[in-house]
Amino acid sequence: MNTYKLTLLAILAAIAIVGRYWFSFIPNVQPVTSIIIIAGLLLGPVSAVILAFIITFVSNMLLGMGIWTVWQIISWGIIGILSGWMGKVFHPISLPFLLLFAIFSGYFFGFIISLITYQITGAFWPYYISGLPFDTNHAIGNAVFMVLFYPIITFLIRKYASNHFSVKRG
């Protein structure tokens, strides 16, 4: 982990935390999942997991901590690992595929979060089924944020990397 990656992670974390706070009035719509997916694709799975931890911990300090915090870190960490793996295996990745993965990630996140209820009460399916509209909000939000952020963040990271490394070599 070098200064370049730490700087990128700090910027992406700040964007995600502010975005999560700003969109907190719309249930389950926030840019966190999309930013973690983009970080995994471009920076690798370890960076995405670190980002998932930082975003969850700091944003939950603003929005409220609870047992769900651990499950959020686990959910976003798994999504980061999967996107990091996709970024290493598949080149290039098309935007329609990314949109499908972002939508899937919204429902996957909800499934993992629903395990909290099972952990506490032993009842999983009623909670999961009643949460599907919120998971749908999350999935649609992920797709919208992916369309908005993926081209911009990809361009900026590649531009920053090319400038950073060309100056370093020169």
Side-chain angles (χ1 to χ4, degrees):
M1 190 69 58
N2 57 25
T3 307
Y4 164 71
K5 262 195 178 176
L6 289 174
T7 304
L8 289 174
L9 290 177
I11 292 168
L12 292 174
I15 292 168
I17 292 163
V18 169
R20 187 170 183 216
Y21 185 74
W22 279 352
F23 285 95
S24 64
F25 66 94
I26 305 173
N28 289 35
V29 175
Q30 36 68 26
V32 175
T33 308
S34 296
I35 289 174
I36 289 172
I37 292 169
I38 295 166
L41 291 170
L42 300 175
L43 303 174
V46 173
S47 295
V49 170
I50 292 169
L51 193 61
F53 179 80
I54 292 169
I55 292 169
T56 306
F57 186 74
V58 175
S59 64
N60 281 4
M61 287 174 63
L62 297 168
L63 300 171
M65 290 277 188
I67 192 167
W68 57 85
T69 301
V70 173
W71 291 96
Q72 288 173 324
I73 292 170
I74 290 169
S75 300
W76 278 320
I78 292 170
I79 291 168
I81 290 169
L82 291 174
S83 62
W85 174 77
M86 286 183 346
K88 289 180 184 255
V89 173
F90 301 110
H91 293 287
I93 298 177
S94 67
L95 188 58
F97 181 77
L98 281 179
L99 292 177
L100 287 175
F101 183 70
I103 291 168
F104 163 79
S105 296
Y107 289 106
F108 176 78
F109 182 88
F111 178 81
I112 298 296
I113 295 299
S114 296
L115 294 174
I116 298 169
T117 303
Y118 181 73
Q119 178 187 17
I120 296 170
T121 66
F124 170 77
W125 289 109
Y127 184 80
Y128 176 70
I129 291 169
S130 65
L132 282 175
F134 297 98
D135 297 342
T136 302
N137 284 355
H138 191 173
I140 293 168
N142 289 348
V144 170
F145 285 118
M146 187 63 72
V147 167
L148 293 173
F149 286 147
Y150 182 70
I152 295 167
I153 293 174
T154 302
F155 173 78
L156 293 174
I157 286 177
R158 289 188 177 146
K159 184 165 180 67
Y160 183 72
S162 66
N163 288 341
H164 174 72
F165 295 118
S166 66
V167 170
K168 192 174 184 180
R169 282 188 233 134

